[in-house]
Amino acid sequence: MKKNLQRISFLFCILFFSLTTWAQNKTITGKVSDESGTPILAASVIVKGTNQGTSTDVNGDFTLSVPENAKILTISSTGFVTKGVPIVGNTISVSLVRATSNLDEVVVVGYGSQRKSNVTGAISGVKAADLEKIPDGRVEQALQGRVSGVTVMQNSGQPGSPSTIQIRGVTTFNNNNPLWVVDGVVVDAGGIGYINQSDIESIEVLKDAASAAIYGTRAAGGVILVTTKKGKAGKTVVSYNGYYGTSAPAKVLDLLNASQYATLRNESAVAAGKDIVFTDIASLGKGTDWQKAIFNYSAPRYSHEVSVSGGSEKSTFYFSAGIENQDGIVATDISNYNKISIRLNSTHKISKVFTFGQTLGYTHQKSMGLGNTNSEFGGPLSSAINLDPVTPLVVTDVASQPNAVIYENADIIKDAKGNPYGISNYVGQEMTNPLAYIQTRLGGYNWSDDIVGNAYLEATPIKGLTLRSSLGAKKAFWGNQGFTPVYLLSSSVSSSKNSYSKGENKSFNWNIENTITYNRTFGQHDITVLLGEGTYVENIGGNAGMTYFNLPINDYRDASFKFDVGLANRDGYAGDFTEHKIYSLFSRINYSFADKYLFTGIIRNDGSTRFGYNKKYGNFPSFSAGWNVHKENFWKMNDIINSLKIRSGYGVVGNDNSGDFQYLARVVGGYNYSFGNSGVVTTGYAPETLDNPNLHWEQTASGDVGFDARVLNDFTVSFDWFNKKTTGILRQVRIPGYVGVSSDPWDNVADMKNSGIELELGFHKRIGQVNLAINANGSHIKNTVTYVSADTNFIGGGAGFQSMGTITRIQVGNSFNSFWGYKTLGIFQNEQQILDYKNKSGAPIQPDARPGDFKWADLNGDGKITDDDLDKTFLGSNLPKYTFGFTVNLQYKGFDFMAFGQGVAGNKIFQGLRRLDILTSNYSTKALGRWTGEGTSNTFPRLTDSDPNGNFGKMSDFYLESGDYLRFKVVQFGYTLPNNLFKGIGVSRLRVYVTGENLFTITKYSGYDPEVGGGVFGIDKGQYPQARTFMGGVQLSF
Amino acid sequence: MKHIRINTAILAATFLVLLGSCSKDYITLQPKGEFLTQNYYATREQAYSGLVAAYDLLRKNAGGFENMITMMNAGSDDNYAGGGGPTDGVGIHGFSDFTINANTMPASFWGDHYQGIFRTNILLNKLPGTTMDAAEMARFTAEAKALRATYYFNLVRMFRNIPLILEPLAATDIYNVTQATPEEVYAQIEKDLTEAIPDLPASVNLATEAGRFTKVAAQAQLGKVYLYENKKPEAAAMLAQVNGATPGEPNQYGNNLLPNFADLWVFTNKFNAESLLECVHTDQSNADWGFWGSSADEGNTAAQMVGPRSYIKSGPDAPDIYPSGWSFNVWTQNFYDAIKDDPRFSSTVLDVKALAAAGQCSYLQGDQNTGYFLKKFIPMKSDIRKGGGAVELNFQQNDYIIRLADTYLLEAEALGATGARAQALLDAVRARVGLASVPVSMDAIKKERRLELAGEGHRFFDLVRWGDAATKLADRGFTAGKNEIFPIPASELQGTKLVQNPNY
């Protein structure tokens, strides 16, 4: 055997030597264009079976020296079907077909890739070509409306803020984030913001357990694989893409003006037996428009990106650098975002056997935020909505103010002219003049530095066998810094001492993965076996921070930690993160017979630091099968169904995305008391909870049936039905208080189910000179909680609103965190109706109600409306039942047009914009249609300060609105200038475009924006709305 | 070809090294900065930390939104719940108008006390194995018992029918627990306090130990417990040791009434001669909203709660108080009328209504507003925290769990409100504020207790003990045979063998 090998290698060497040295060459010239005859730039032209190749220039032309005996040229380019062309003569003209059917597309599946035609799992993706046209700040947004089964909800319109992603619904009561894997490195969900969108080659979403099982105990929320761009052999390409635009609010709320406000306030006060508040209503006029004061209608936004890529057959590289800046539309002085990123990816063929590759990205982000968004407790938006319009924005005549005395305070905030900002005499608590509030937060910011990369060494010692070792790491630094001056925003919001603080965190994650892949084809059998092991360590690091008080300055620009404020004026903290380690063994087998019958089996074994002594290791198996029906002999080629693949799979995945040491009874500090008269706090230690050595991962098992088809030549259809069940959802089980532990122990208890269907449709056709591509997708998801615990069938919800307490509930038979409250049956129009609403014994159910009050449904039938949970019911779900999106691409000669829309349906939003406990808060203009007498309204109750019926104080369907919307998210119009214009100066491509983002939204929702993400969707307490942006940009390649 | 084999060997070796580096220990972490229960309480320092954790729950008296003082005041005829609106604290409002039920009952009044009991139980269970000085171990044991008695005393008065747990519960026993009779609970409280007294110190170092149990604190508590059991002779005997031979003169430990009633309410005047046991607060825990009311919060929330809302001082007569209180526990008109001519009025009531009428200040009227605020704990601007944390949560005034004027009047009551000593005790309390003697009687004692101890959380318990609750609280919705005690929180009944209190 050894001898044979030596002989073969000797022969091989001779052959190689002869090829490179003595082979007779000939020169071939050619042109590569697309179907319409437009030249394709940078298409790769390679002599099949060799390393010899080149790439096309601006005009699609190439010149290549090939061996005399070369037979075939392989021509490829991103977005086109790769084509093999026989070498006949010395000139070749090739027309590539756009890869519309995607069947030859390669799909990244985790620890490898597969031809799309042979994929058996439910995997959807987005490619670079699509990403190019959507200038989103964050990568999560790039998935919104583009991938079926994935629900993306923006948490805030604050530039740079993350979105919440749900892949096939909510799988756990806990952390539902998908696992993000960038070039093989696991990055935590919040940390994905570092990636620069135009560096992405592809994003794949592993939706079903059959695909995701290869990521085992971290895959229950779904897995998102991001692959960054690599260089291509051939000419070095330099590209620039930049845009500039401005943002404005897409909508303002209709709130009452000063005289309307005064009228309603008087009405409400009088109804409660109080005196009239405003006597001279007419003099108030329109008053202050607080929204206008904080909104920016021309907030600038720009981005510049340069990339250089290329390489030889031995080495390729991709380098990029970008800068992005986005100002917020609310209180721009304290709301903006800035990102700088640099990336270098390269691959090197060291020898025939070894290949080395690496990716490395560095990103710096800096953002300023409002500090308090989507909160009923103040912040500029909430204040602008709730403040009375009577109070002036800026006070020029203090004596005229009813609360003149407060302006004597030295700590009030003044504008540049020295006039104090108005302080409301009517609306108190946390609501403060937003312009004054902005002044107290100037200069504060958050920052982060992320370095993420991996390096791998791959060896192919014999044909079909690949050994690969890869080392990935993420080093992250992040923190915040800010100055709080001495201020008085109102009598209840003030700070009597200034402070300057900073906090810094650092963390390091690394992983090593070793895989062996062996692929062999014999006859019509094709088999690929993957064996691998991985070690993952996260959260090595900690944080520290310091606050200095009583600095001898009061302007953020002067703040410095150089001031010697003395020990008594310093407050510091430091912390260690708890490491999270996983050790895994995994294996996958792919088998196909004649590309007809496809089978994939996966098993992964994970050990995690987060599980109890008895349950350290978990096994996660999956299998899936596919059948390419159109490859059967009985299949008659036809123009109705061109191709059809049926696939099905089942798998089990886990979720260890829970806290650390939840299985241990730990004695922890923090049970403190102070002895003596010095005020010093003594730390006490006590057991925190009971231990649970059986604590283990949450387990999600899911089944999927689907098909992919091409019909009528131009249409593609992809359909999936899935059903997944999560069992053993970790939660703190409520144990009786008399046990006396301060924290309830964790256990695997609850179960939840998600089922649904997904549909992706495509239509690609060339009609005359026009290239038309339409893609649409939609999903339906139903979420049901199936078990909560032995002693109760519900958990008080994850969302609350002021004195209403909890407004959602997790209960068996309902969707996760459904809205929970009273049901209204209209409004009592007169006394008789109150008397007529009676119980079995004939007594009125709401004896204390007055005309104009809500009629509440007596759901338990006890003849009265009780304040505990008896008359409350489920009022709807905040989870969208339907999500959908569509993209239209049109191309005509140099012109291109793209329209992208998305939306959701079937969900409710809690509209909690008005602060409940501040009777004097401003109203939306809806209040003008309130009940004022018989027949005036059956939906908006009377106004009264005392509200004895709880019309506004009770959680009811009155606060819920439909969350359905359809948003025209991006419309882009571009023009690529004819090539011959720039031939002389080396420009290969110049495209100019204009983009409109968030142009309009069709919705009935009355708040700013129906897209309300966050931990519990659809709770709107003054969410930072998404901006409407117009941009113009240039794409340039050399 | 040779290089290929070498490379394969290197690769294989790399694989093996990496595989070999991963053992089972690799995925087992030991917590750092924390300890495991089975190893803890081994040293004196660890036992001391456990003792501190056992004391932690004393802060329930005035710490956190759900605290004993404001809650118990709200159910008396002296105060309303108050606050921002009728739903600002569903539990406290429910108690104030006696609509409280098992769902609205704040579970922390139950659970927090049991946390204190759990920590004393585990300490008492572990202490014998601790390596430490025997005398100090005896003191720790006595303190743990006295604390356990204090927590049970609160529980039995609030809920009456409660489980009596004296050892940490095993996981398998959690759901087998039943309620003890009040008599059994009281017997255990007596036993714990009686056993504790000999090993408690007569005095402690003011700077480092004040706030820890002393003999007199335990005796005062025991005397009070006897009175609640209607064991009057035992109560009188025990309280006589606390109050000393001559009322108005220092007792054997040096305790005496403060000459000036107002000095009791100066927030810096901690651990004064009149104080027997107090709940300690400090402005140095940097308490913030994120851990408000938790074990790491050492601020006096009752102080924050009783201040007026959006108070603006605009004249020289208005006091310099912290402007952003929450207007809880406003005095009733009935109480105002009872105290308005008493010398203790100015220390007890802050008449913001009058100040506002005189143009001295303005404020926002909260729920059930009368304009009369609880002055004893009113948050002062001068008490605003110097360090970190939220201003609202770092008021440092201590509050009395039991003080000498209280034990004077308790002893007078235990003596049947007759006799020279009872008269002397009552006279001493009145003389301190410059009031003349009145003949001792139950009525006189009741009137004195109401005015002397107003707003300190005792009135409701007094009314129930005297059997006066039904009449005094009739207009507030009190139902006799039901509202003398709280409902057991609904969450405690799920899956357990506990039985709800009558009529809830």
Side-chain angles (χ1 to χ4, degrees):
Chain A
M1 179 65 195
K2 194 171 164 189
K3 216 170 192 177
N4 273 343
L5 265 177
Q6 276 177 347
R7 202 169 292 156
I8 292 165
S9 69
F10 176 74
L11 280 171
F12 190 76
C13 286
I14 296 282
L15 192 65
F16 188 67
F17 198 55
S18 61
L19 273 175
T20 48
T21 322
W22 284 296
Q24 281 295 114
N25 284 0
K26 62 175 176 183
T27 302
I28 294 186
T29 55
K31 190 179 184 73
V32 182
S33 56
D34 68 8
E35 295 148 296
S36 61
T38 312
I40 299 175
L41 164 77
S44 155
V45 182
I46 291 173
V47 181
K48 192 174 180 182
T50 76
N51 292 324
Q52 285 170 292
T54 183
S55 49
T56 56
D57 67 6
V58 193
N59 300 319
D61 295 335
F62 68 90
T63 309
L64 180 63
S65 174
V66 304
E68 199 66 60
N69 57 350
K71 293 257 168 13
I72 291 173
L73 287 182
T74 307
I75 321 271
S76 62
S77 181
T78 311
F80 293 90
V81 177
T82 300
K83 195 167 182 178
V85 187
I87 301 173
V88 181
N90 289 340
T91 337
I92 289 172
S93 183
V94 187
S95 163
L96 292 186
V97 181
R98 284 196 186 268
T100 49
S101 69
N102 296 339
L103 287 178
D104 282 333
E105 218 176 273
V106 166
V107 176
V108 180
V109 295
Y111 307 103
S113 54
Q114 244 184 320
R115 269 189 300 146
K116 190 171 170 107
S117 56
N118 280 8
V119 167
T120 50
I123 300 176
S124 295
V126 183
K127 295 284 176 199
D130 300 318
L131 292 171
E132 219 168 55
K133 292 189 176 173
I134 33 175
D136 296 309
R138 300 262 313 190
V139 61
E140 298 101 315
Q141 282 289 309
L143 291 171
Q144 187 182 47
R146 294 180 174 273
V147 177
S148 67
V150 178
T151 309
V152 180
M153 286 280 199
Q154 187 134 1
N155 296 348
S156 165
Q158 158 73 29
S161 73
S163 300
T164 305
I165 297 199
Q166 293 174 356
I167 296 177
R168 291 191 166 176
V170 189
T171 28
T172 171
F173 297 0
N174 304 303
N175 192 332
N176 195 53
N177 289 327
L179 183 75
W180 288 86
V181 183
V182 179
D183 293 325
V185 183
V186 173
V187 295
D188 51 291
I192 193 66
Y194 82 92
I195 202 149
N196 190 12
Q197 192 174 299
S198 52
D199 287 344
I200 297 174
E201 178 66 37
S202 70
I203 305 176
E204 261 92 14
V205 185
L206 310 186
K207 296 189 288 192
D208 64 338
S211 317
I214 196 72
Y215 286 97
T217 190
R218 290 192 286 181
V223 180
I224 301 178
L225 305 174
V226 178
T227 310
T228 58
K229 284 178 179 165
K230 312 288 183 293
K232 275 194 298 244
K235 188 173 173 290
T236 299
V237 180
V238 181
S239 298
Y240 164 82
N241 184 5
Y243 63 76
Y244 179 86
T246 60
S247 305
K251 179 182 179 185
V252 288
L253 299 181
D254 290 327
L255 301 173
L256 299 188
N257 67 29
S259 40
Q260 291 168 326
Y261 169 81
T263 309
L264 265 59
R265 275 301 303 135
N266 281 349
E267 180 182 317
S268 182
V270 168
K274 297 184 189 169
D275 294 338
I276 275 186
V277 189
F278 298 95
T279 43
D280 185 7
I281 289 174
S283 72
L284 297 170
K286 285 204 181 313
T288 305
D289 183 345
W290 294 103
Q291 293 185 92
K292 200 173 157 194
I294 57 165
F295 278 139
N296 185 345
Y297 286 82
S298 58
R301 175 177 174 183
Y302 64 80
S303 164
H304 301 285
E305 286 162 355
V306 177
S307 71
V308 184
S309 71
S312 65
E313 291 308 318
K314 289 263 181 206
S315 291
T316 64
F317 72 96
Y318 172 86
F319 168 84
S320 77
I323 179 166
E324 184 192 331
N325 195 80
Q326 200 179 341
D327 278 0
I329 52 164
V330 183
T332 306
D333 286 344
I334 55 168
S335 172
N336 58 50
Y337 173 72
N338 187 285
K339 177 163 88 175
I340 297 167
S341 57
I342 297 172
R343 169 167 294 277
L344 178 63
N345 294 349
S346 69
T347 56
H348 310 276
K349 224 168 157 36
I350 300 169
S351 68
K352 276 199 181 52
V353 175
F354 289 102
T355 306
F356 170 80
Q358 60 73 227
T359 64
L360 184 65
Y362 164 77
T363 303
H364 173 76
Q365 297 176 84
K366 182 179 171 184
S367 67
M368 298 172 84
L370 302 183
N372 206 4
T373 56
N374 205 10
S375 158
E376 63 266 55
F377 301 116
L381 260 174
S382 186
S383 292
I385 296 167
N386 281 285
L387 277 177
D388 60 271
V390 177
T391 301
L393 197 61
V394 174
V395 178
T396 46
D397 176 17
V398 166
S400 70
Q401 293 301 304
N403 53 348
V405 62
I406 198 165
Y407 294 100
E408 289 165 19
N409 192 300
D411 298 339
I412 55 163
I413 309 288
K414 297 177 176 173
D415 72 359
K417 291 181 192 148
N419 291 318
Y421 287 110
I423 297 172
S424 176
N425 190 42
Y426 308 100
V427 180
Q429 256 96 324
E430 292 88 353
M431 303 304 165
T432 57
N433 187 317
L435 293 189
Y437 172 89
I438 290 167
Q439 297 299 312
T440 67
R441 287 188 59 87
L442 289 175
Y445 63 93
N446 295 307
W447 59 270
S448 69
D449 287 299
D450 292 280
I451 305 161
V452 185
N454 84 331
Y456 67 85
L457 186 66
E458 206 173 77
T460 44
I462 54 172
K463 187 168 179 286
L465 177 67
T466 307
L467 305 172
R468 183 181 160 112
S469 269
S470 96
L471 172 68
K474 175 180 176 184
K475 180 88 185 163
F477 303 88
W478 71 101
N480 59 282
Q481 193 149 330
F483 178 74
T484 305
V486 171
Y487 62 80
L488 183 127
L489 294 176
S490 74
S491 63
S492 48
V493 180
S494 63
S495 167
S496 56
K497 57 180 184 177
N498 64 35
S499 62
Y500 189 44
S501 62
K502 69 169 163 185
E504 294 182 354
N505 306 263
K506 64 175 179 181
S507 81
F508 181 56
N509 300 350
W510 61 264
N511 65 276
I512 292 176
E513 287 171 337
N514 299 298
T515 56
I516 305 172
T517 314
Y518 183 67
N519 170 261
R520 186 149 177 212
T521 309
F522 44 98
Q524 292 192 305
H525 308 274
D526 183 87
I527 188 159
T528 306
V529 178
L530 166 83
L531 289 173
E533 60 111 33
T535 304
Y536 310 84
V537 183
E538 295 178 343
N539 292 339
I540 304 171
N543 55 13
M546 181 57 92
T547 303
Y548 278 21
F549 298 102
N550 294 320
L551 284 80
I553 48 97
N554 208 34
D555 187 310
Y556 74 98
R557 284 164 293 210
D558 302 327
S560 167
F561 288 105
K562 286 181 175 168
F563 285 115
D564 185 5
V565 294
L567 274 181
N569 281 316
R570 297 177 195 184
D571 184 13
Y573 69 91
D576 287 333
F577 298 152
T578 302
E579 281 180 33
H580 172 214
K581 298 199 238 180
I582 292 178
Y583 178 68
S584 312
L585 294 171
F586 48 89
S587 172
R588 176 172 60 210
I589 181 164
N590 296 106
Y591 168 78
S592 72
F593 177 76
D595 284 346
K596 264 191 248 176
Y597 311 110
L598 317 163
F599 174 80
T600 304
I602 295 171
I603 184 152
R604 176 154 173 150
N605 175 279
D606 276 324
S608 167
T609 48
R610 288 183 173 150
F611 306 147
Y613 311 115
N614 301 344
K615 299 271 187 177
K616 278 278 171 216
Y617 293 93
N619 285 322
F620 303 95
S622 88
F623 57 86
S624 54
W627 179 26
N628 274 319
V629 186
H630 61 280
K631 297 210 170 173
E632 292 291 353
N633 294 330
F634 61 74
W635 184 271
K636 293 214 164 49
M637 287 297 278
N638 64 70
D639 275 345
I640 300 185
I641 300 177
N642 311 97
S643 71
L644 174 66
K645 178 172 70 178
I646 298 170
R647 50 193 166 71
S648 178
Y650 175 81
V652 177
V653 285
N655 177 18
D656 82 335
N657 209 343
S658 51
D660 299 290
F661 300 122
Q662 286 172 343
Y663 58 92
L664 274 182
R666 292 167 296 157
V667 175
V668 302
Y671 302 108
N672 307 340
Y673 201 61
S674 174
F675 291 136
N677 60 3
S678 67
V680 171
V681 176
T682 310
T683 303
Y685 276 75
E688 186 183 30
T689 186
L690 307 175
D691 66 355
N692 179 1
N694 293 323
L695 196 82
H696 58 100
W697 56 94
E698 299 174 354
Q699 181 167 302
T700 300
S702 83
D704 184 292
V705 179
F707 68 82
D708 304 313
R710 198 149 74 87
V711 294
L712 303 169
N713 294 319
D714 303 317
F715 292 91
T716 52
V717 184
S718 216
F719 171 86
D720 280 276
W721 169 88
F722 69 90
N723 189 13
K724 66 176 184 179
K725 180 158 189 180
T726 308
T727 49
I729 293 174
L730 281 170
R731 49 175 297 244
Q732 280 185 291
V733 276
R734 211 207 56 74
I735 57 170
Y738 55 68
V739 178
V741 289
S742 51
S743 173
D744 285 329
W746 287 82
D747 201 0
N748 297 89
V749 270
D751 301 340
M752 186 156 56
K753 208 172 77 178
N754 286 281
S755 60
I757 52 173
E758 297 163 358
L759 191 61
E760 295 188 355
L761 296 170
F763 174 70
H764 302 254
K765 195 168 176 74
R766 188 177 171 80
I767 304 162
Q769 291 271 62
V770 179
N771 257 327
L772 174 64
I774 301 172
N775 287 300
N777 71 78
S779 340
H780 165 73
I781 295 174
K782 183 171 161 49
N783 171 285
T784 317
V785 176
T786 52
Y787 184 71
V788 168
S789 81
D791 57 347
T792 178
N793 70 341
F794 74 88
I795 309 171
F801 188 63
Q802 299 172 41
S803 49
M804 283 178 186
T806 149
I807 57 172
T808 63
R809 177 178 267 203
I810 301 170
Q811 180 160 330
V812 171
N814 292 278
S815 84
F816 181 63
N817 270 325
S818 290
F819 289 115
W820 171 254
Y822 293 92
K823 208 171 163 53
T824 57
L825 301 172
I827 287 174
F828 291 119
Q829 298 297 330
N830 51 47
E831 292 284 356
Q832 192 54 46
Q833 288 184 359
I834 297 169
L835 296 174
D836 288 347
Y837 187 44
K838 55 196 171 194
N839 56 27
K840 279 176 227 144
S841 57
I845 292 175
Q846 288 175 251
D848 301 326
R850 306 275 317 118
D853 281 343
F854 274 131
K855 177 178 179 182
W856 306 113
D858 176 24
L859 294 173
N860 70 336
D862 65 353
K864 56 190 180 191
I865 303 301
T866 39
D867 253 333
D868 44 28
D869 287 348
L870 300 174
D871 287 318
K872 291 186 184 174
T873 187
F874 289 95
L875 302 172
S877 170
N878 45 28
L879 299 173
K881 282 188 187 68
Y882 302 93
T883 58
F884 46 87
F886 66 86
T887 314
V888 177
N889 273 294
L890 273 172
Q891 208 178 8
Y892 171 75
K893 293 187 173 166
F895 297 94
D896 61 88
F897 169 83
M898 195 271 290
F900 165 55
Q902 56 79 225
V904 303
N907 59 318
K908 291 265 169 68
I909 300 176
F910 176 83
Q911 205 265 44
L913 298 176
R914 184 173 186 272
R915 175 81 174 243
L916 264 186
D917 60 337
I918 306 178
L919 298 169
T920 50
S921 288
N922 199 9
Y923 291 93
S924 93
T925 48
K926 271 201 295 187
L928 294 173
R930 74 215 173 274
W931 189 93
T932 48
E934 194 162 343
T936 46
S937 171
N938 202 32
T939 51
F940 202 105
R942 72 189 174 114
L943 299 182
T944 162
D945 278 7
S946 54
D947 193 17
N949 195 49
N951 295 329
F952 298 96
K954 283 184 163 93
M955 167 61 183
S956 73
D957 48 19
F958 175 63
Y959 282 97
L960 298 180
E961 297 183 18
S962 163
D964 302 357
Y965 74 88
L966 169 61
R967 169 171 291 164
F968 285 79
K969 186 115 178 162
V970 184
V971 173
Q972 190 172 81
F973 188 75
Y975 178 61
T976 307
L977 280 77
N979 282 317
N980 48 21
L981 280 178
F982 315 99
K983 214 165 187 177
I985 51 170
V987 173
S988 60
R989 182 181 183 221
L990 175 61
R991 176 173 175 264
V992 291
Y993 61 91
V994 288
T995 301
E997 203 178 55
N998 193 11
L999 286 183
F1000 64 97
T1001 305
I1002 302 170
T1003 182
K1004 285 184 193 153
Y1005 181 59
S1006 69
Y1008 284 113
D1009 198 318
E1011 190 178 335
V1012 187
V1016 177
F1017 284 177
I1019 309 292
D1020 189 2
K1021 301 173 182 176
Q1023 160 125 326
Y1024 196 129
Q1026 295 188 42
R1028 173 180 297 155
T1029 309
F1030 291 97
M1031 288 171 282
V1034 175
Q1035 282 173 309
L1036 190 61
S1037 296
F1038 299 95
Chain B
M1 194 55 226
K2 201 176 172 188
H3 68 279
I4 289 181
R5 276 191 292 132
I6 291 168
N7 286 334
T8 314
I10 291 171
L11 259 184
T14 314
F15 259 82
L16 287 174
V17 167
L18 292 168
L19 278 167
S21 66
C22 299
S23 65
K24 182 163 184 174
D25 290 344
Y26 179 78
I27 50 157
T28 304
L29 287 179
Q30 290 304 319
K32 287 180 182 166
E34 301 162 330
F35 301 91
L36 296 180
T37 309
Q38 63 261 37
N39 312 329
Y40 206 67
Y41 306 99
T43 64
R44 187 261 170 205
E45 278 61 42
Q46 292 184 345
Y48 180 70
S49 295
L51 182 68
V52 172
Y55 269 101
D56 171 29
L57 275 311
L58 276 186
R59 78 178 148 73
K60 190 74 185 164
N61 211 48
F65 183 73
E66 292 169 358
N67 62 74
M68 294 291 290
I69 287 182
T70 51
M71 182 71 170
M72 300 321 297
N73 282 347
S76 78
D77 53 343
D78 294 348
N79 304 91
Y80 292 117
T87 51
D88 190 0
V90 172
I92 192 171
H93 278 93
F95 183 47
S96 198
D97 58 14
F98 297 102
T99 57
I100 198 160
N101 59 45
N103 290 311
T104 55
M105 177 68 214
S108 72
F109 287 100
W110 171 277
D112 282 6
H113 285 100
Y114 274 109
Q115 285 181 29
I117 289 162
F118 168 70
R119 293 184 207 162
T120 57
N121 283 344
I122 198 156
L123 187 63
L124 289 168
N125 179 283
K126 295 274 190 177
L127 269 175
T130 306
T131 309
M132 66 185 293
D133 173 70
E136 196 174 24
M137 188 193 289
R139 181 183 171 193
F140 282 15
T141 306
E143 287 179 272
K145 286 179 177 171
L147 284 166
R148 185 164 71 181
T150 302
Y151 298 141
Y152 270 122
F153 185 46
N154 279 347
L155 278 171
V156 76
R157 284 189 296 164
M158 287 189 291
F159 299 97
R160 189 180 296 150
N161 303 301
I162 59 171
L164 183 62
I165 297 164
L166 303 171
E167 288 283 330
L169 284 171
T172 45
D173 295 336
I174 288 176
Y175 290 95
N176 296 324
V177 169
T178 54
Q179 283 143 303
T181 64
E183 293 73 25
E184 288 168 328
V185 177
Y186 271 112
Q188 182 64 38
I189 295 170
E190 276 183 38
K191 179 169 180 286
D192 275 343
L193 285 169
T194 310
E195 287 173 6
I197 290 166
D199 292 328
L200 289 170
S203 66
V204 295
N205 181 316
L206 183 67
T208 57
E209 294 194 333
R212 290 175 67 177
F213 258 94
T214 56
K215 266 193 177 45
V216 72
Q219 287 168 330
Q221 284 287 77
L222 182 55
K224 188 171 179 177
V225 166
Y226 282 136
L227 188 62
Y228 274 81
E229 292 185 86
N230 206 23
K231 293 180 176 174
K232 287 187 173 165
E234 292 90 334
M238 184 55 63
L239 290 167
Q241 292 194 49
V242 175
N243 297 332
T246 316
E249 297 290 321
N251 69 3
Q252 54 178 314
Y253 309 106
N255 300 107
N256 199 0
L257 298 179
L258 292 189
N260 182 2
F261 183 76
D263 288 349
L264 283 165
W265 317 110
V266 175
F267 68 85
T268 49
N269 196 14
K270 299 180 173 210
F271 311 110
N272 54 60
E274 187 169 334
S275 168
L276 301 174
L277 179 64
E278 61 194 70
C279 165
V280 188
H281 298 286
T282 167
D283 62 353
Q284 291 176 31
S285 71
N286 295 347
D288 222 326
W289 302 108
F291 58 97
W292 176 32
S294 83
S295 293
D297 159 22
E298 308 301 330
N300 183 337
T301 303
Q304 166 62 27
M305 288 172 76
V306 301
R309 287 180 175 249
S310 300
Y311 172 90
I312 301 170
K313 173 185 159 90
S314 49
D317 297 345
D320 244 340
I321 60 178
Y322 174 65
S324 313
W326 297 337
S327 69
F328 279 90
N329 278 183
V330 285
W331 296 110
T332 59
Q333 188 65 44
N334 176 300
F335 175 77
Y336 178 87
D337 294 341
I339 200 172
K340 67 173 190 283
D341 299 323
D342 190 275
R344 287 164 289 208
F345 174 82
S346 62
S347 294
T348 309
V349 180
L350 179 65
D351 192 349
V352 180
K353 183 179 169 185
L355 287 167
Q360 295 288 322
C361 73
S362 66
Y363 72 111
L364 287 183
Q365 302 195 3
D367 193 42
Q368 300 169 304
N369 181 57
T370 55
Y372 312 132
F373 289 83
L374 176 43
K375 178 83 178 294
K376 286 177 173 176
F377 312 115
I378 207 95
M380 300 303 295
K381 258 194 171 163
S382 49
D383 190 15
I384 285 179
R385 55 100 179 91
K386 311 287 183 294
V391 173
E392 293 87 340
L393 308 183
N394 285 285
F395 291 104
Q396 58 165 304
Q397 184 179 4
N398 287 1
D399 45 273
Y400 306 101
I401 293 170
I402 194 160
R403 63 182 170 97
L404 209 56
D406 187 3
T407 53
Y408 274 24
L409 295 172
L410 288 173
E411 188 189 342
E413 185 182 333
L415 290 166
T418 56
R421 181 154 171 98
Q423 183 70 56
L425 286 160
L426 178 64
D427 287 351
V429 173
R430 290 179 61 83
R432 183 257 294 270
V433 293
L435 289 172
S437 172
V438 293
V440 69
S441 68
M442 231 9 245
D443 270 355
I445 291 172
K446 286 177 181 177
K447 183 163 176 269
E448 207 58 45
R449 269 190 81 80
R450 184 183 188 194
L451 301 184
E452 172 70 25
L453 300 168
E456 296 178 57
H458 302 300
R459 174 74 175 169
F460 176 81
F461 290 130
D462 285 343
L463 290 177
V464 171
R465 186 177 73 251
W466 294 328
D468 294 345
T471 47
K472 294 279 184 190
L473 297 171
D475 63 337
R476 293 280 279 271
F478 185 95
T479 306
K482 171 183 176 185
N483 290 128
E484 288 83 0
I485 50 173
F486 286 144
I488 292 172
S491 54
E492 289 299 297
L493 302 172
Q494 286 172 8
T496 69
K497 296 186 173 168
L498 301 199
V499 180
Q500 183 54 281
N501 280 332
N503 303 316
Y504 278 109

